[in-house]
Amino acid sequence: MSTPLYRLKAEFFKTLGHPVRIRVLELLSERDHAVSEMLNEVGVEAAHLSQQLAVLRRAGLVTARREGSTVHYTLADPGVAELLRVARTILTGVLAGQAELLADLRAAGGSGDDASVEAPDDAANEAGDQAGDQAGDKNDGGSGG
C-alpha cells in the first residue's frame, strides 16, 4: 500500500524543520557553495553541518559533487528556492498583521478599558492559503493532501 501524499508532505516539512537546514537551503538558493563557505555563514561546528547536509541529501533536496578535496553542494530542484520565497512572503504578511495588532494594543494604552482592537488583516493569511492551495493543486493533482 502506498503512503498517502499528506504523510509524504508532512515528512518533507519535517525535513525543513531545522534552522540550520533552512539556512543551508537559503545559501544554496543564491548559488552553489563549498562546505567550508557554508561553515562561515551558518556558524555551527563542521560535524553538525555535515549531519544536516546528510539529512538534506537523503531527502533529495541537495546534491553534492567533489572537486579535489572540496565538496560543493547545490539545490536538487529550483522549486526549493521558490518554496523559501513563498514562505518568506507568507511570514512577512503574518508579521505585518501582528505588528499592526501590537500597534493597536499600544495605542489603546493598556488602560483596561474596553477599547476595540482590530484583528490582523486576514487578507495576508487568505493570500497565503490560496498560494498553498495552488501549489498543492500543482503538486498533488488537487487531491487536497
Side-chain angles (χ1 to χ4, degrees):
M1 181 181 233
S2 65
T3 305
L5 186 56
Y6 66 89
R7 289 194 185 273
L8 295 172
K9 286 180 180 180
E11 287 301 316
F12 174 79
F13 282 106
K14 280 184 196 176
T15 300
L16 297 178
H18 193 285
V20 170
R21 289 182 221 143
I22 293 293
R23 184 64 184 129
V24 165
L25 293 172
E26 287 175 340
L27 291 170
L28 295 177
S29 293
E30 299 167 4
R31 63 176 175 82
D32 294 1
H33 278 76
V35 174
S36 58
E37 294 174 311
M38 287 189 280
L39 274 171
N40 296 332
E41 292 288 329
V42 176
V44 296
E45 297 291 325
H48 187 93
L49 179 59
S50 179
Q51 288 175 340
Q52 301 309 323
L53 287 166
V55 170
L56 293 171
R57 269 194 325 271
R58 282 193 302 273
L61 296 175
V62 300
T63 58
R65 75 178 185 286
R66 183 174 291 277
E67 292 179 7
S69 62
T70 305
V71 179
H72 292 268
Y73 279 85
T74 187
L75 290 180
D77 185 321
V80 175
E82 179 63 21
L83 177 64
L84 293 172
R85 282 190 290 276
V86 169
R88 182 183 185 104
T89 300
I90 292 169
L91 286 172
T92 299
V94 169
L95 293 174
Q98 290 176 352
E100 183 180 320
L101 179 59
L102 180 59
D104 289 346
L105 288 171
R106 287 186 173 150
S111 61
D113 60 11
D114 290 337
S116 68
V117 176
E118 290 184 28
D121 183 11
D122 286 336
N125 292 335
E126 289 174 352
D129 290 344
Q130 289 171 355
D133 290 345
Q134 290 169 355
D137 290 347
K138 290 176 187 171
N139 293 331
D140 62 17
S143 66

